[in-house]
Amino acid sequence: MDGRMDGARRFDVVVVGGGPVGLAFAASLSGLGLAIAVVERQAEAALENAAFDGREIALTYHSQDILKRLGAWAHIPAESISPLREARVLNGGSAYALRFDTRGRPEAELGRLVSNHAIRRALYRVARACPDVTLLAGQGVAAMGTDVDGARLRLEDGTALRAGLLAGADSRFSGVRKALGIGAEMRDFGKRMMVARVRHAAPHHAVATEWFDYGQTLAMLPLNGDCSSVVLTLPAEEMARLEAMPEAAFGPEIARRYRQRLGAMELVSTRHVYPLVAVYAERFATTRAVLLGDAAVGMHPVTAHGFNFGLRGQDTLAGEIRAARAAGRDFAAPDVLRRYAHAHRRATRPLYGHQRHGEALQRGDPARPAAARRRAAPWQPPSPGAAAGGLAADGEPGGGPGRLRAPARRSRA
């Protein structure tokens, strides 16, 4: 890139990626005397009125606190927030379940399930109201780079940007990560995940269930009323058949697959399919640049931990920047970014590593010994059990979204 960049627009921080983590980070920096820009390829209307995408996010108490501090929680409609009181993990044909609940704890709920599109809309409203945040929507990045003097970007329309810090929050297939020359461990689980809402005849009692059956993994996440979010994992060929299935046939098919545990079912939303790919960046920080959200750590998409990790990470980095500003220091100095990177790695790496257990369970191989499946199941990150256990995490350093404080017990399903 041209190092001079004559006529460049200057900011203190440029965030590439206007998803929830990028917007949360911009809002977290507001009020520190910094000029912040968020560059997002989608049109602004797509951010303001984020479309339903099928995903329900199991938020930790720590994540809820962050959203409340930012002012985003107040913008989330009550109908988009569902209580989660218990989680059960089922294994094959076993009559027993691993249960997580709030026994022995003061909280009445393990946590909350919140619609992803509602979170995105809320964070857009917060960031858009910040006078020191400039949203550059409908713009892709054509080139970027950093050196000790700062970051340089050129947008696809030719606009040049300069900044003291570049933050990449642009998905697990991050262009920022690639441009910075940062490698990543990528794990393709070889399956597809479908999410949709169904209405069912029997009540769910605010209990989430994930069933590691042979040939499929099926989760039911309780929503308000007699509705649930179905999260179904299958091989690509079999998933294509469900995508093409008529809407009227889909509910009965899910009820059949779920063995009528919730009675008759009816599809009440659009269906959405996602690849199952996990990503872990080799570095979270480099000269005048950081990675946030899925660009840093992209968890198995079935987990609740991906968004919680992303929200936690940006909060950690914002805290380091706030401390540096208060001390009159360079907010993007190497030691500032290094402390964020070390803290985020400590919080995320152990649980990311446990996904290898989930890889075997996702295969659903009938020949896999049942005892081995039982050993792996309690550690399976992409389960409501693990996710809900994480909801009870205290959010303190070392606690992390993966440390379980909710009691687990084994009983008949």
Side-chain angles (χ1 to χ4, degrees):
M1 288 184 63
D2 182 356
R4 295 171 298 174
M5 299 195 73
D6 294 338
R9 296 183 66 178
R10 295 181 179 272
F11 296 92
D12 295 300
V13 180
V14 171
V15 182
V16 177
V21 172
L23 292 173
F25 182 55
S28 293
L29 296 182
S30 182
L32 296 182
L34 301 173
I36 306 132
V38 179
V39 181
E40 168 56 43
R41 182 177 293 277
Q42 291 187 89
E44 186 165 354
L47 302 180
E48 182 179 7
N49 299 298
F52 174 78
D53 60 10
R55 290 179 289 183
E56 306 293 335
I57 308 299
L59 291 177
T60 66
Y61 285 113
H62 186 48
S63 292
Q64 292 176 52
D65 288 342
I66 292 173
L67 292 175
K68 289 173 183 176
R69 275 193 274 118
L70 291 176
W73 191 260
H75 294 304
I76 299 176
E79 60 268 22
S80 294
I81 304 173
S82 304
L84 177 59
R85 295 192 174 91
E86 183 180 329
R88 301 173 186 172
V89 181
L90 309 177
N91 178 39
S94 173
Y96 291 89
L98 185 67
R99 297 174 184 253
F100 296 85
D101 55 32
T102 59
R103 292 189 183 188
R105 306 189 73 248
E107 295 87 354
E109 303 167 355
L110 287 174
R112 307 276 179 83
L113 289 158
V114 183
S115 301
N116 186 60
H117 71 284
I119 297 173
R120 293 178 61 199
R121 291 179 183 183
L123 286 168
Y124 165 82
R125 292 183 65 178
V126 169
R128 199 71 181 86
C130 296
D132 43 8
V133 174
T134 299
L135 181 58
L136 302 174
Q139 292 281 1
V141 179
M144 69 191 90
T146 66
D147 57 26
V148 293
D149 295 322
R152 306 171 308 282
L153 299 90
R154 188 175 69 251
L155 305 186
E156 290 175 344
D157 68 354
T159 300
L161 307 179
R162 291 293 302 264
L165 176 67
L166 169 64
D170 55 336
S171 88
R172 65 191 64 208
F173 305 108
S174 171
V176 173
R177 189 178 64 225
K178 182 178 180 180
L180 294 173
I182 299 176
E185 173 188 337
M186 301 192 75
R187 182 177 299 170
D188 189 336
F189 290 88
K191 299 288 182 69
R192 296 292 181 268
M193 178 187 75
M194 176 181 282
V195 287
R197 290 181 178 181
V198 294
R199 182 181 294 113
H200 37 76
H204 50 53
H205 301 295
V207 176
T209 303
E210 183 148 22
W211 180 26
F212 293 102
D213 193 19
Y214 297 102
Q216 68 173 10
T217 301
L218 181 56
M220 300 297 293
L221 307 180
L223 304 179
N224 293 322
D226 287 332
C227 287
S228 291
S229 173
V230 55
V231 185
L232 178 62
T233 302
L234 291 170
E237 300 79 6
E238 192 171 354
M239 185 62 78
R241 183 178 67 82
L242 260 69
E243 285 186 83
M245 180 176 288
E247 291 185 6
F250 183 79
E253 172 66 9
I254 297 301
R256 181 191 69 80
R257 287 178 175 271
Y258 199 53
R259 296 188 183 176
Q260 309 297 330
R261 289 182 175 95
L262 291 173
M265 294 187 181
E266 174 190 5
L267 179 66
V268 294
S269 77
T270 49
R271 290 167 281 184
H272 301 264
V273 176
Y274 299 94
L276 295 185
V277 178
V279 177
Y280 204 92
E282 291 176 356
R283 289 175 288 153
F284 297 158
T286 187
T287 304
R288 296 282 173 178
V290 291
L291 299 176
L292 295 170
D294 283 357
V297 182
M299 294 292 289
H300 188 300
V302 180
T303 76
H305 298 294
F307 180 77
N308 289 305
F309 278 154
L311 202 58
R312 177 192 180 101
Q314 68 79 29
D315 188 57
T316 298
L317 178 57
E320 294 292 346
I321 291 174
R322 191 176 300 112
R325 293 285 288 174
R329 300 185 59 240
D330 178 1
F331 69 88
D335 64 304
V336 175
L337 306 187
R338 188 164 51 245
R339 282 194 294 274
Y340 152 70
H342 288 172
H344 198 46
R345 189 169 297 275
R346 286 196 305 271
T348 59
R349 187 67 203 186
L351 188 57
Y352 181 88
H354 281 312
Q355 289 180 131
R356 67 183 182 274
H357 298 291
E359 207 167 353
L361 285 172
Q362 291 284 348
R363 286 198 296 269
D365 182 3
R368 181 176 171 84
R373 287 170 59 87
R374 284 195 296 272
R375 284 195 298 272
W379 294 103
Q380 167 63 5
S383 70
L391 291 170
D394 55 19
E396 295 299 320
R403 174 169 289 182
L404 304 185
R405 289 178 59 205
R409 55 194 173 87
R410 185 168 178 262
S411 62
R412 284 193 173 273

